[in-house]
């Protein structure tokens, strides 16, 4: 079984994934894999320079700060970046899952539907937190201004087509009122014995 751990920036999906890894479950980090692919693949870098902005690639390397400034200010360019990178990421996930067949697997992603991963996973664990709490977390963590964080949040918003396949949704609340660990343990215990195969 393949489960996507999702949530907007600052919601806490990485916290959930750290807990899952500590429990021994394999977790595929889409963001890290996408960055590795972008660094290693010359064709991806070429397409970013041509289709997004040549200033995002400097000396054969991607300027991540510049690329983020561009795509999070332009929804069309963000969509282009996703189309360039995420086909390769989906292929990596399929290969990774094949090598771990028979285990409960997790994929961390902020853009489940935009990346097409909704067609690969069996369930979505969506991590949620109050908007202001998310903004404060990201401002403190990434030394960003409120305006920069708000732009990131807005860029991640996505209206899902009614025709898109939607995996079973589980909501996890990461705020001052709920225990994240308890929610994770309850959800794993609710999976069928075949689905909840321990590491």
């Amino acid at each position: 079984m393949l489960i996507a751990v999702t949530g907007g920036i600052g919601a806490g999906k990485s916290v959930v994934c750290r807990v899952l890894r500590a429990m021994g479950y394999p977790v595929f980090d889409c963001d890290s894999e996408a960055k590795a692919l972008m660094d290693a693949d010359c064709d991806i870098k070429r397409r970013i320079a041509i289709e997004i902005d040549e200033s995002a690639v400097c000396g054969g390397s991607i300027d991540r700060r510049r690329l983020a400034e561009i795509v999070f200010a332009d929804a069309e360019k963000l969509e282009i970046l996703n189309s360039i990178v995420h086909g390769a990421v989906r292929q990596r996930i399929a290969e990774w899952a094949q090598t771990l067949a028979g285990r409960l697997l997790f994929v961390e992603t902020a853009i489940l539907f935009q990346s097409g991963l909704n067609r690969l996973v069996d369930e979505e664990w969506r991590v949620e937190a109050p908007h202001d709490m998310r903004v404060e977390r990201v401002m403190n963590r990434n030394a960003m201004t409120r305006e920069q964080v708000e732009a990131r949040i807005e860029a991640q918003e996505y209206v899902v087509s009614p025709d898109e396949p939607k995996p079973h949704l589980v909501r996890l609340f990461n705020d001052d009122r709920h225990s994240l660990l308890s929610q994770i343990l309850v959800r794993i215990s609710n999976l069928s014995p075949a689905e909840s195969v321990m590491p």
Side-chain angles (χ1 to χ4, degrees), residues 67-81:
L67 181 60
E69 287 173 355
I70 295 165
V71 299
F72 286 116
D74 187 326
E76 184 177 342
K77 290 191 175 180
L78 179 59
E79 187 174 342
I80 291 169
L81 178 63

Side-chain angles (χ1 to χ4, degrees), residues 43-58:
D43 186 56
I44 287 177
K45 286 184 269 195
R46 180 188 61 80
R47 289 187 63 189
I48 287 172
I50 293 171
E51 299 177 41
I52 297 177
D53 196 298
E54 62 182 13
S55 69
V57 180
C58 182

Side-chain angles (χ1 to χ4, degrees), residues 119-189:
R119 299 170 182 271
L120 294 182
V121 302
D122 302 292
E123 188 165 278
E124 175 190 1
W125 288 10
R126 186 180 301 161
V127 187
E128 301 178 0
H131 181 88
D132 287 344
M133 183 177 285
R134 291 172 57 195
V135 171
E136 290 295 329
R137 285 173 181 165
V138 180
M139 287 174 62
N140 294 333
R141 181 184 73 199
N142 295 4
M144 296 169 66
T145 66
R146 178 171 294 274
E147 291 72 23
Q148 289 172 320
V149 179
E150 294 282 6
R152 295 277 181 105
I153 290 173
E154 185 176 346
Q156 285 183 344
E157 291 179 357
Y158 182 74
V159 178
V160 180
S161 164
D163 300 328
E164 276 291 325
K166 298 176 182 65
H168 176 68
L169 174 63
V170 174
R171 299 171 70 196
L172 303 178
F173 300 98
N174 181 24
D175 54 30
D176 297 333
R177 298 172 54 200
H178 299 86
S179 165
L180 204 50
L181 178 59
S182 296
Q183 294 173 81
I184 293 168
L185 293 173
V186 166
R187 182 53 202 152
I188 288 176
S189 70

Side-chain angles (χ1 to χ4, degrees), residues 5-128:
V5 180
T6 71
I9 187 170
K13 62 186 175 299
S14 295
V15 175
V16 171
C17 289
R18 283 198 295 273
V19 171
L20 292 168
R21 287 190 184 96
M23 294 172 69
Y25 290 105
V27 180
F28 187 100
D29 183 342
C30 288
D31 190 44
S32 294
E33 186 64 29
K35 288 176 181 175
L37 283 168
M38 289 163 66
D39 287 337
D41 193 312
C42 292
D43 186 56
I44 287 177
K45 286 184 269 195
R46 180 188 61 80
R47 289 187 63 189
I48 287 172
I50 293 171
E51 299 177 41
I52 297 177
D53 196 298
E54 62 182 13
S55 69
V57 180
C58 182
S61 298
I62 293 173
D63 182 337
R64 297 198 188 287
R65 183 174 291 275
R66 177 61 183 147
L67 181 60
E69 287 173 355
I70 295 165
V71 299
F72 286 116
D74 187 326
E76 184 177 342
K77 290 191 175 180
L78 179 59
E79 187 174 342
I80 291 169
L81 178 63
N82 288 337
S83 70
I84 291 171
V85 175
H86 286 289
V89 172
R90 287 195 304 272
Q91 181 61 35
R92 289 286 178 91
I93 291 171
E95 294 166 356
W96 172 78
Q98 186 63 36
T99 66
L100 296 167
R103 298 180 67 182
L104 178 58
L105 307 175
F106 294 87
V107 175
E108 179 181 353
T109 179
I111 49 173
L112 178 65
F113 291 91
Q114 300 96 309
S115 65
L117 289 174
N118 59 302
R119 299 170 182 271
L120 294 182
V121 302
D122 302 292
E123 188 165 278
E124 175 190 1
W125 288 10
R126 186 180 301 161
V127 187
E128 301 178 0

